[in-house]
Amino acid sequence: MRVIAVWSIKGGVGKTTAAVNLAALAAREGARALLWDLDPQGGASFLLRVSPRRKASPRRLARRSVELRRMVRATDVPNLDLLPSDLTYRTLELELNARKSPSRRLAVKLTPLDGHYDWVVLDCAPSVTLVSEAVLHAADDLLVPVIPSALSLRTLEQTRRFIAQTRSKAVRVLPFLSMVDRRRRLHREGCERFAGGAEGFLRTIVPMSSIVERAAEARLPLFAVAPSSRATRAFASLWQEVREQSASPTD
Ligand SMILES: Nc1ncnc2c1ncn2[C@@H]1O[C@H](COP(=O)(O)OP(=O)(O)OP(=O)(O)O)[C@@H](O)[C@H]1O
Ligand SMILES: [Mg+2]
């Protein structure tokens, strides 16, 4: 089981879009995939048309004795399960804090799922909190969408510093260019700067595309809405790269 977190301190950079589409692509290949929506906004849960079970409160979620499997729900995408979220998840931080080794708790909760899933994708809220620390301890790879702008790049540096300070296990940071609009000079410059995997970036560039909004409206993965669109192909290529990176040893 490999755990990939999609995380950035910055909001609105394409985390949920990437988390949902990558998990759906994994499932489409026949892998057993679980998407854990850790954001009280519940965006991934909305896109996959699933809400939490009534019993799946953050309090129960944080308890060591309650198995995550009992809170998992199936989605309409074959092989893709979801741990949904809604606004009640805003208290997850408090619930974790009330327990021993809170920053290890998500990792501890995921351990029994090893053997049930090939991939776990964590969709995270745009924040730096105890939940973020717990995500860093649970994840093998950290996928960071970056819009080519000065503020986004600054956020990536903050992300790297936070990881260094958190002393988590060796988590691999995999930034990629997201929501790229080549009509904009800054975006074109960003593409040139990080082309071909420079500065640790993945090679795939996810374009800004109205297809993404259309898929969100239809509440479907991109490949189900526009199988041959540029954005769909970009996510397929991103998934390919993430798989390749995951298979190679961490430095
Ligand atoms: N490549 C893209 N092209 C066009 N629109 C996009 C693209 N990626 C994401 N969007 C849209 O931008 C908005 C923000 O995307 P998304 O929710 O994936 O970002 P996020 O980083 O998860 O946001 P938050 O920080 O609020 O959780 C959504 O309306 C989404 O449909
Ligand atoms: Mg999101």
Side-chain angles (χ1 to χ4, degrees):
M1 184 175 85
R2 193 88 188 161
V3 182
I4 301 166
V6 189
W7 179 62
S8 167
I9 301 171
K10 202 157 173 51
V13 292
K15 295 181 293 296
T16 299
T17 302
V20 167
N21 282 286
L22 296 181
L25 281 162
R28 191 174 66 156
E29 285 178 353
R32 297 160 303 170
L34 172 68
L35 178 59
W36 189 350
D37 187 352
L38 282 162
D39 186 344
Q41 290 182 86
S45 309
F46 170 82
L47 290 177
L48 291 166
R49 304 164 183 260
V50 179
S51 20
R53 292 181 195 281
R54 207 171 296 148
K55 282 188 185 159
S57 66
R59 172 159 301 173
R60 283 171 54 78
L61 193 87
R63 277 172 51 188
R64 195 185 280 264
S65 58
V66 179
E67 283 181 51
L68 278 188
R69 281 199 81 197
R70 289 165 56 192
M71 301 182 174
V72 162
R73 304 201 62 179
T75 71
D76 294 338
V77 180
N79 299 325
L80 177 58
D81 287 347
L82 177 74
L83 267 164
S85 164
D86 60 19
L87 275 179
T88 62
Y89 277 61
R90 69 190 184 280
T91 61
L92 183 59
E93 179 84 10
L94 292 171
E95 295 297 343
L96 287 181
N97 214 1
R99 285 166 173 86
K100 266 192 260 168
S101 308
S103 62
R104 311 249 163 217
R105 186 48 65 104
L106 297 188
V108 166
K109 297 287 298 188
L110 281 171
T111 305
L113 297 183
D114 200 0
H116 293 285
Y117 294 105
D118 303 302
W119 298 97
V120 176
V121 179
L122 309 177
D123 183 28
C124 307
S127 53
V128 198
T129 60
L130 182 55
V131 177
S132 326
E133 266 184 61
V135 162
L136 288 188
H137 284 287
D140 299 302
D141 301 302
L142 199 68
L143 205 53
V144 187
V146 179
I147 300 176
S149 71
L151 276 180
S152 261
L153 287 166
R154 179 171 170 270
T155 310
L156 178 61
E157 282 322 305
Q158 289 174 322
T159 302
R160 291 194 201 277
R161 276 207 298 279
F162 177 63
I163 293 167
Q165 285 161 10
T166 309
R167 295 195 307 270
S168 65
K169 68 174 185 177
V171 63
R172 194 193 323 245
V173 184
L174 302 172
F176 69 95
L177 290 173
S178 175
M179 300 170 79
V180 169
D181 179 354
R182 285 184 191 266
R183 287 170 304 183
R184 298 186 191 191
R185 182 183 54 82
L186 258 180
H187 285 215
R188 285 196 304 276
E189 285 173 5
C191 292
E192 274 165 35
R193 175 171 164 190
F194 302 112
E199 298 181 45
F201 269 63
L202 294 172
R203 290 182 305 275
T204 303
I205 295 171
V206 174
M208 182 71 97
S209 161
S210 58
I211 299 285
V212 175
E213 298 285 9
R214 217 196 308 154
E217 219 170 63
R219 296 167 82 180
L220 287 168
L222 278 173
F223 60 70
V225 173
S228 55
S229 79
R230 223 153 53 85
T232 307
R233 283 184 278 129
F235 278 105
S237 149
L238 188 65
W239 172 236
Q240 189 70 29
E241 275 198 272
V242 170
R243 272 181 33 194
E244 282 167 15
Q245 292 280 339
S246 292
S248 64
T250 318
D251 296 333

